[in-house]
Amino acid sequence: MPDPTPAATPVPSRPAGVARGHWALRDRPGMLWMILAVIVAIAHPFIAESRWLMVHLVLLGAITHSIMVWSTHFSQALLKTGPGLDDRRIQSRRLILLFLGTSITLVGVPTATWWLTVVGATMVSAAVLWHGVQLWRRLRGSLPGRLRVTIRYYLAAAVALPVGAALGATLALGLDDSTHGRILLAHSMINVLGWVGLTVCGTLLTLWPTMLRTQIGPRAEARATQALPGLVVALVVLVAGALLDLRWLTLAALVLYAVALLWWASAVLAPVRSKLPREFAPASVGLAIVWWLIGIGFVLVRLTTTDSWGELTVGYGWITTVLVVGFAAQLLTGALSYLVPSVLGGGKTVVRAGQAWFDRWATARLVTINGGLLLCLLPIPSWVRVIVSVLVLVALAAFLPLMLRGIAAAVVAKREVEAARARGERPAGATPSPGLAHGQPDHLPSIWSGGQLVAALSALALATSIGIGLDPAAAGLSGLSAAGSGGVTSTGTGGNGSAGGSAADELAPTGQTTTVQVDAVDMRFEPSTIQIPRGDRLVIELTNADPTNIHDLQILGQRTPRLAHGETATLDLGVVGESTQGWCTIVGHRQMGMVLDVEVVGGDGQVAGGEGGQGTTTDGAAAGTDPSSDPHASHGSTAGGGTEYPGGLTPILDPDARVEEPIDPVLVPLTTQTVHELTLTAQEVELEVAPGITQTRWTFNGTVPGPTIRGRVGDVFEITLVNDGTMGHSIDFHAGALAPDEPMRTIAPGESLVYRFTAERSGIWMYHCSTMPMTSHIAAGMHGAVIIEPEEGFPEVDREYVLVQSEVYLQQGTGQDGAAPAELDADAVLAERPSFVTFNGIANQYDHHMLEAAVGERVRIWVLDAGPNRPSSFHIVGGQFDTLYLEGAYHLGPRSEEGGAQALGLQAAQGGFVELTFPEAGHYPLVSHIMVDAERGAHGFVHVTD
């Protein structure tokens, strides 16, 4: 490898006063953040806020650490001020502060702990401002010289980061869509274009020609000096325009930034025209700059094609992917591939030994990363995108072991050189080849390899083929096999008497393709009806335009993936000869009207239906479609498709069967705290709903009902909702009085929000998911109780229990005898035909796991009817209530000596409590005196002892 310092280029790899060799705080934190980013990328389905973590482990962790280290490094080299102003001891303190602040922020945001987020952001900002002050002191203390503009870029960048950190902490508050969109844009742009972008512009002024082994362009310094004011003004105006809700101003600022950046690049990057990159470092950095410009272009497109700030953030993930993977990750790996070997010291022999590892498989890595990223931005099937993403991740992660091997090889080479010098020998490779002294690297081996290029392209092609093979319909290949053999795609069961025949077998294809764009929005498909000429091939392009809910489409045995807001999938249904119907398979969505009718128009202009046994069934499902392929289709022949079991709707239960894991009904004691912080995680888990019967339940924190929350009037409750499910969820607290627009909004999987309210009235209050269809979400298990006591004077009791009544709706004959857990039957919910009615989510669980009391003890039982449909009449056989409290008021007592009550009557979402003492030992049944519900499982016992 030639000397990396041409005669006319400053020497950023040899700063005055900076010791060579290994420095743990310089090398290890950045590597740690990169390793963690890879781990999160691999395990992202199991990690909350994984996308946010991946982005910030790279940008806030690895990139910010590297900027702090290497901008100091370059400043010392360019200004030649020596270490006195900012020695390694001071730098280490600054880096430790940065590391701690980054760590705290990376914990605070995913856990929705706002004060922790603020502390972390403050520490990061303090470290960067301290860094900026030290750079300014160096600049003031240096002699006039060339390239001082680089340090001015660093100073402007150091001001940008604290602004971005403050905006990021504001995002953690939980904002409405418009405000969130404006602040997100300002936060991301000031960090990526300011903190990172300005640092890159300043550094590449000298680093870029150094990596290319050529001279700095004659106009590079002048153009960089001219571009800096434009870049800074553009950033200030961009942030102001976003915060002031002036969209046109934000757009103008971004255009100004792009123009100033192109002016900077026109001279600074000019050497690449004469010296194409021959090593991994300049090639990776050059490609990163290309993706940087593409990312800015994407933001400009979003600003000009969206109507609102909230809509701007839809699809923002692709912009983030381009800026993090294409720009930041490649910039970091490229720059470190050059800088790390250079600062280890020991001369060209040592640098060559280390850099040989950094250049390993360079062509394959670069082609895989950039080709894979380009593929992922195209409208490809989801499985292709997943597999290609894995290849890109592997190619990026390969840098880490290569970096370790490169450092190790350089250390070994350095020891050999030092040993040779100690013996008075010239180290091998120390004599420069002809031309090296003049910076002529033409004889250097190039990283570009035809074999690696073919291997990388083959890997991407194989990944694409595998992805298409896993989901051919998404690639428009559903009818390929039949068509290739001269046939047509079969669309249903036949009625023409031929063995295995179908109506489609006799259908003459027209050779035409009808492609229809369908939007899923507001629990409906738009359009809801499609007309297609008989014999046409039908392709449906489904886009989820619903800002709050996940949707999919199943039709003719094919189904799209579940789509988040803004995502699109394609179904190729082949040649269609009969009318049919599709629907969204998310539980409850079909019942709310999310059906798509396909009407086939025959040659006479009439709708073709029913021919050959096809057409539409009376319940709206397409005949010829296998009902078992749709877990949410109607079941049985009862009204509304309700569940049918022998002997009635409720499965016959063994009276001796015991629930394995009962819910403890004992009410937790009230504490003295006045601020209650709790995280509720929406999860989909398999739970027992009756002895031996399981169902996939939608839960808060994995239980049904969710955790019981207890406090007093005047207490503050700060609830963080984390959606770790597969569909949109939300939460509604009846115990709080505030506008539902923001705290009760539906959030997508992986998102979170904070719901803060003050309890102003006593009682037992329901909380539940309020995402539509609300009946399905509540019936699936997403409900719980909040008990608010008066501020003072609430009488004590010996024992206190809480019972939440709710209904369970099972699909027919599922969840038993070792079969897979049942799903919710949304048709049965609408028909109000429950399989079970339960106390605390499990039928008959308190028949064996009884409530306990002793003779003479005062027992208080709080009861909440969570529904979603059935009322309750809570009664204890053999007991009489001397206190009855309903919906915030005593209807009897407290502790009446004369009157009594026999039942606490509740409608859905109502609650109260009863008190009583038991006169003698025995087993007292507790039931809903709506006796059909008691027989469905709303039943248990109080075991009273002497």
Side-chain angles (χ1 to χ4, degrees):
M1 175 179 290
D3 188 340
T5 313
T9 303
V11 191
S13 59
R14 298 181 182 178
V18 176
R20 289 181 175 274
H22 176 68
W23 175 22
L25 275 175
R26 179 193 65 202
D27 303 326
R28 292 179 181 173
M31 184 177 295
L32 172 64
W33 298 130
M34 287 189 283
I35 292 172
L36 289 176
V38 172
I39 292 172
V40 171
I42 294 171
H44 73 274
F46 312 103
I47 299 176
E49 298 287 352
S50 56
R51 179 186 289 272
W52 184 93
L53 278 172
M54 285 186 283
V55 169
H56 288 80
L57 282 167
V58 174
L59 292 178
L60 179 59
I63 289 284
T64 295
H65 172 83
S66 297
I67 288 176
M68 293 273 282
V69 168
W70 297 107
S71 57
T72 299
H73 179 104
F74 274 73
S75 299
Q76 291 173 340
L78 295 173
L79 299 178
K80 298 179 175 60
T81 54
L85 288 174
D86 194 19
D87 60 25
R88 180 172 288 186
R89 178 176 53 87
I90 297 175
Q91 292 179 47
S92 295
R93 292 174 182 171
R94 202 160 60 233
L95 293 176
I96 291 172
L97 178 62
L98 174 68
F99 181 83
L100 292 176
T102 302
S103 302
I104 291 172
T105 303
L106 293 173
V107 172
V109 173
T111 60
T113 309
W114 191 72
W115 68 266
L116 203 60
T117 303
V118 172
V119 170
T122 302
M123 293 174 68
V124 170
S125 300
V128 172
L129 288 174
W130 184 2
H131 166 74
V133 169
Q134 295 298 87
L135 293 177
W136 179 73
R137 292 179 64 205
R138 283 188 178 278
L139 186 63
R140 288 199 60 187
S142 65
L143 296 174
R146 293 184 60 209
L147 305 172
R148 291 160 61 89
V149 68
T150 292
I151 288 73
R152 295 191 178 97
Y153 271 92
Y154 294 162
L155 289 172
V159 174
L161 190 279
V163 176
L167 293 170
T170 304
L171 285 172
L173 284 171
L175 308 167
D176 62 80
D177 288 345
S178 177
T179 305
H180 181 88
R182 291 188 286 115
I183 295 182
L184 175 62
L185 179 69
H187 163 72
S188 57
M189 292 298 98
I190 195 69
N191 283 335
V192 175
L193 305 185
W195 170 237
V196 180
L198 293 176
T199 302
V200 168
C201 290
T203 302
L204 290 187
L205 177 62
T206 56
L207 183 62
W208 179 247
T210 302
M211 287 192 296
L212 290 174
R213 324 295 183 181
T214 186
Q215 307 290 334
I216 295 178
R219 292 174 294 179
E221 184 178 7
R223 295 248 176 124
T225 303
Q226 295 160 4
L228 179 58
L231 295 171
V232 172
V233 169
L235 286 170
V236 173
V237 174
L238 189 154
V239 172
L243 296 182
L244 296 174
D245 197 9
L246 298 174
R247 194 181 183 87
W248 64 269
L249 188 61
T250 306
L251 180 61
L254 195 57
V255 170
L256 174 60
Y257 186 95
V259 170
L261 184 62
L262 290 172
W263 184 250
W264 165 87
S266 63
V268 173
L269 302 184
V272 78
R273 293 199 296 266
S274 58
K275 294 290 182 182
L276 292 176
R278 299 173 62 86
E279 298 159 274
F280 175 81
S284 184
V285 170
L287 289 167
I289 300 302
V290 172
W291 284 111
W292 187 20
L293 295 171
I294 292 173
I296 295 173
F298 279 1
V299 178
L300 282 168
V301 170
R302 294 298 297 170
L303 278 171
T304 55
T305 58
T306 54
D307 297 326
S308 66
W309 292 103
E311 188 181 352
L312 173 69
T313 61
V314 178
Y316 206 75
W318 289 118
I319 296 173
T320 303
T321 299
V322 167
L323 292 175
V324 173
V325 177
F327 171 50
Q330 288 202 107
L331 177 76
L332 181 65
T333 55
L336 292 180
S337 294
Y338 177 82
L339 292 170
V340 171
S342 300
V343 299
L344 292 175
K348 289 183 289 294
T349 301
V350 176
V351 173
R352 287 194 199 101
Q355 199 149 18
W357 280 98
F358 285 93
D359 286 345
R360 287 283 180 97
W361 311 307
T363 300
R365 289 154 58 200
L366 290 170
V367 172
T368 301
I369 293 167
N370 293 277
L373 180 56
L374 182 60
L375 268 176
C376 288
L377 295 176
L378 298 176
I380 57 177
S382 58
W383 271 109
V384 176
R385 184 172 288 111
V386 168
I387 298 173
V388 170
S389 298
V390 171
L391 286 180
V392 173
L393 176 63
V394 170
L396 284 169
F399 171 78
L400 295 171
L402 292 175
M403 177 177 169
L404 293 174
R405 294 296 299 270
I407 293 174
V411 170
V412 171
K414 186 176 181 179
R415 291 173 182 167
E416 293 175 351
V417 168
E418 291 172 348
R421 287 172 177 166
R423 296 192 300 268
E425 302 172 0
R426 179 184 294 275
T431 303
S433 301
L436 285 185
H438 303 287
Q440 302 295 329
D442 292 338
H443 70 287
L444 279 176
S446 173
I447 61 164
W448 304 112
S449 162
Q452 290 185 34
L453 173 64
V454 171
L457 292 176
S458 299
L460 291 173
L462 179 60
T464 303
S465 300
I466 293 173
I468 292 174
L470 290 172
D471 189 6
L477 301 177
S478 61
L480 182 62
S481 176
S485 59
V488 295
T489 303
S490 174
T491 59
T493 57
N496 57 5
S498 61
S502 73
D505 292 333
E506 299 177 350
L507 179 66
T510 64
Q512 303 297 316
T513 297
T514 298
T515 301
V516 183
Q517 283 77 38
V518 177
D519 288 340
V521 60
D522 295 333
M523 293 297 169
R524 67 181 185 275
F525 291 114
E526 293 183 352
S528 61
T529 300
I530 299 170
Q531 287 196 342
I532 175 176
R534 190 171 188 268
D536 272 18
R537 173 187 175 195
L538 175 59
V539 176
I540 296 176
E541 296 177 354
L542 176 68
T543 299
N544 185 2
D546 192 325
T548 58
N549 291 295
I550 289 175
H551 296 296
D552 64 7
L553 172 63
Q554 174 168 297
I555 186 168
L556 291 175
Q558 295 189 42
R559 186 166 67 184
T560 69
R562 291 187 171 184
L563 305 176
H565 185 201
E567 293 183 338
T568 298
T570 301
L571 288 180
D572 186 339
L573 302 177
V575 177
V576 178
E578 305 297 338
S579 297
T580 188
Q581 187 180 74
W583 53 84
C584 178
T585 70
I586 307 298
V587 174
H589 289 197
R590 182 185 184 189
Q591 287 72 20
M592 292 193 67
M594 288 205 73
V595 294
L596 177 66
D597 291 303
V598 176
E599 296 182 352
V600 174
V601 180
D604 57 358
Q606 299 299 312
V607 174
E611 178 182 339
Q614 295 288 124
T616 304
T617 62
T618 55
D619 69 350
T625 303
D626 180 8
S628 64
S629 68
D630 175 30
H632 310 299
S634 299
H635 301 278
S637 59
T638 60
T643 307
E644 286 188 341
Y645 289 91
L649 290 174
T650 302
I652 299 174
L653 300 175
D654 181 355
D656 295 326
R658 301 171 65 95
V659 172
E660 294 182 0
E661 297 183 8
I663 301 297
D664 187 358
V666 176
L667 183 59
V668 294
L670 183 63
T671 66
T672 58
Q673 67 185 109
T674 58
V675 177
H676 307 265
E677 296 180 352
L678 176 67
T679 296
L680 293 178
T681 302
Q683 300 170 308
E684 296 156 24
V685 297
E686 179 183 352
L687 294 177
E688 200 170 15
V689 293
I693 298 179
T694 61
Q695 184 183 38
T696 300
R697 302 285 264 163
W698 308 349
T699 71
F700 293 116
N701 288 8
T703 65
V704 177
T708 298
I709 304 169
R710 192 174 190 183
R712 291 187 177 88
V713 170
D715 286 2
V716 175
F717 295 82
E718 186 170 290
I719 310 297
T720 300
L721 174 64
V722 177
N723 188 352
D724 196 26
T726 61
M727 65 192 77
H729 290 300
S730 58
I731 196 162
D732 173 5
F733 280 94
H734 293 190
L738 69 170
D741 304 60
E742 287 305 312
M744 302 181 199
R745 71 183 187 274
T746 296
I747 59 173
E751 295 184 352
S752 64
L753 61 78
V754 176
Y755 190 133
R756 186 181 178 91
F757 67 91
T758 300
E760 298 177 350
R761 291 179 171 83
S762 60
I764 179 169
W765 305 85
M766 182 179 177
Y767 69 85
H768 61 90
C769 179
S770 58
T771 297
M772 299 299 288
M774 207 177 304
T775 51
S776 292
H777 286 256
I778 296 173
M782 303 196 76
H783 56 261
V786 179
I787 295 176
I788 304 297
E789 294 186 6
E791 292 182 85
E792 58 184 25
F794 197 57
E796 294 184 358
V797 293
D798 298 302
R799 296 180 188 261
E800 211 166 2
Y801 296 100
V802 59
L803 300 176
V804 178
Q805 178 179 308
S806 62
E807 302 128 43
V808 174
Y809 298 84
L810 297 176
Q811 290 180 2
Q812 180 179 0
T814 57
Q816 292 179 286
D817 301 325
E823 298 290 336
L824 175 73
D825 189 336
D827 287 328
V829 177
L830 293 180
E832 299 185 41
R833 302 177 70 89
S835 303
F836 304 112
V837 179
T838 73
F839 290 137
N840 292 343
I842 308 175
N844 293 351
Q845 64 175 320
Y846 301 125
D847 282 6
H848 296 280
H849 305 279
M850 305 177 197
L851 283 62
E852 297 290 338
V855 173
E857 286 185 330
R858 175 155 291 275
V859 178
R860 178 184 295 143
I861 302 178
W862 295 84
V863 185
L864 173 71
D865 186 352
N869 299 324
R870 302 289 296 170
S872 179
S873 178
F874 182 73
H875 172 69
I876 296 181
V877 179
Q880 293 180 335
F881 307 139
D882 62 18
T883 301
L884 189 148
Y885 180 95
L886 171 64
E887 286 293 285
Y890 284 99
H891 287 239
L892 175 67
R895 303 181 183 179
S896 171
E897 296 182 357
E898 296 182 0
Q902 56 196 313
L904 172 62
L906 303 171
Q907 293 294 324
Q910 289 188 327
F913 68 81
V914 295
E915 292 181 12
L916 76 164
T917 58
F918 294 94
E920 59 183 348
H923 296 80
Y924 294 75
L926 51 87
V927 298
S928 171
H929 217 286
I930 301 174
M931 295 310 299
V932 66
D933 290 342
E935 293 166 0
R936 287 169 171 161
H939 188 279
F941 288 95
V942 181
H943 179 215
V944 180
T945 63
D946 288 329

